[in-house]
DNA sequence: CGGTTCCTTGAGGATGATCAACGAGGGTGG
DNA sequence: CCACCCTCGTTGATCATCCTCAAGGAACCG
């Protein structure tokens, strides 16, 4: 996947690399944003954990994608925690260097404008789907955002992950999925979900 | 309040004005975004209505603020409907003119980058608060976002509006508020909420 | 003062969460 | 190769909570 910003350009702006093990925290909720982060290899999830220990997944990020930019841009604290999903290599540059990068390359600034616009668009859609709807609707909405192609494809998320995305419990997801199987809204073969 | 973009500048870029009556729709969910909208006088809410007729408020916008930019920037459909809260005067320019405005004034582009970053930041916070939490937590989170000052102030939203923001029902909001009154988390005097 | 709009309360029901237990598969090390 | 462990999936029973429906009261406005 094409990186958000070219690696070589980031290096010119004083970038450095860092490796994270699976499950390792990259930054924490309420930390002040100090760096621009971009994934070179691996994957990252942004999560909130409430006082009952329940996890809510704000989003997944993969190779080439940047994350945690909004708080950096407005000089705020992170609203969520970033955790490596597997062994992950990150490239990062300091806030000040990120700002001069944006200033010197209007095209890149414009790319970020589009990126943030798309993020808001997605968040508006997911929050509308999640807030009012029944479990089945929430899951369908989530599956729709997963889909990369038109044809039926296998969903690569566990039921627990679907639960954490939709704000439901695992058991509820499982029961909703079996109902959806009966209604032919999804196929389930050997525990794998096809949609 | 300082306008997002100066009125005179918008006029130079071919702006025109339009007046809306209370309750009038400015654009609809699933319409293709074709204009940049900014409020000159009045107020606007962005809402989704689900199949049960239940309303979810994505956000309120007031004098000087722009709205509906993300779908415009990424050339997508609106994820929600915009409705005038009262008699409202809007200034709008076409997509193409908006793009050349951004191109010719890097400072304005940078302002929008900050604006969108703040919007994502706010949405991340509200969705985390809404998804996992009990009614009381949702309401508190909403009241926190309302607060403009430190001291106790009167909340200017109806219970129905709080319900529509938090994804709860009016009766649930009312009952939660009375509990919160007993716990001294809010004051309620003559039906008015102080927080 | 009549009509809205908003607020309030109660009863009853639906539904998702919780708890507990177990099954199935995959990987690892002895 | 097999025993073990760990993660993931599954099921049933029970419970708490929020929603629904219905009805009425309070405040506000022209």
């Amino acid at each position: 996947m094409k990186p958000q910003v070219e690696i070589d350009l980031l290096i010119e702006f004083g970038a450095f690399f860092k490796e994270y093990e699976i499950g390792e925290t990259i930054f924490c909720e309420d930390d002040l944003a100090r760096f621009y982060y971009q994934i070179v290899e691996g994957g990252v999830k942004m999560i909130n954990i409430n006082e009952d220990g329940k996890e809510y997944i704000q989003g997944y990020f993969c190779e080439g994608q940047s994350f945690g930019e909004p708080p950096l841009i407005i000089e705020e604290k992170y609203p969520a925690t970033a955790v490596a999903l597997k062994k992950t290599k990150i490239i990062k540059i300091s806030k000040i260097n990120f700002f001069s990068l944006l200033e010197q390359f209007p095209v890149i600034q414009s790319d970020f404008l589009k990126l943030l616009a798309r993020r808001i668009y997605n968040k508006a859609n997911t929050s509308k789907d999640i807030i009012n709807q029944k479990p089945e609707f929430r899951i369908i909405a989530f599956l729709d955002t997963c889909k990369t192609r038109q044809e039926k494809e296998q969903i690569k998320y566990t039921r627990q992950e679907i639960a954490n995305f939709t704000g439901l419990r695992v058991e509820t997801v499982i029961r909703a999925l079996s109902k959806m199987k009966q209604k032919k809204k999804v196929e389930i073969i050997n525990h794998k979900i096809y949609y």
Side-chain angles (χ1 to χ4, degrees), chain A residues 126-169:
Chain A
T126 58
S127 57
K128 124 185 134 184
D129 290 330
I130 279 175
I131 207 158
N132 275 321
Q133 309 293 359
K134 310 210 179 319
E136 193 174 313
F137 274 87
R138 295 201 201 184
I139 294 171
I140 292 276
F142 171 70
L143 295 178
D144 279 330
T145 66
C146 288
K147 275 191 91 71
T148 50
R149 298 166 271 130
Q150 276 297 316
E151 331 91 73
K152 195 157 270 197
E153 62 182 275
Q154 191 192 323
I155 303 300
K156 60 182 193 311
Y157 294 103
T158 67
R159 278 133 232 251
Q160 183 63 61
E161 286 175 311
I162 298 176
N164 292 348
F165 258 109
T166 54
L168 300 166
R169 302 257 89 154

